[in-house]
Amino acid sequence: MVDVWGFSGAGKIRLTCTDGEVYEGAVLEVCEPEEDGMLEDSITIELKDSRIIGFAAGEIEKIERI
């Protein structure tokens, strides 16, 4: 599981999910489970096409700043 807190305020990132899907976008927020109702920490990004998508830490294989 990736520590998403290291990417709070990181700007643009490339996120690779455990299923191999890759997403690039700007970090909007990093949340604790109590904040967003998930069971673990999560990160939300805005993709290049303006979609907003959230990821639970357990769904993430790796994150890189770009």
Side-chain angles (χ1 to χ4, degrees):
M1 185 179 337
V2 171
D3 177 16
V4 295
W5 288 99
F7 296 92
S8 180
K12 293 187 179 184
I13 62 166
R14 179 177 299 116
L15 185 149
T16 304
C17 293
T18 55
D19 66 1
E21 290 290 323
V22 177
Y23 299 89
E24 290 185 3
V27 176
L28 296 179
E29 67 179 351
V30 177
C31 293
E32 295 179 340
E34 299 81 23
E35 294 178 84
D36 63 6
M38 296 191 76
L39 299 175
E40 57 191 314
D41 292 340
S42 64
I43 188 168
T44 302
I45 64 173
E46 182 175 2
L47 304 177
K48 293 178 181 180
D49 64 4
S50 299
R51 287 185 297 149
I52 296 173
I53 188 166
F55 301 90
E59 298 175 315
I60 303 169
E61 179 72 31
K62 69 179 178 176
I63 304 176
E64 318 166 65
R65 286 177 171 83
I66 54 173

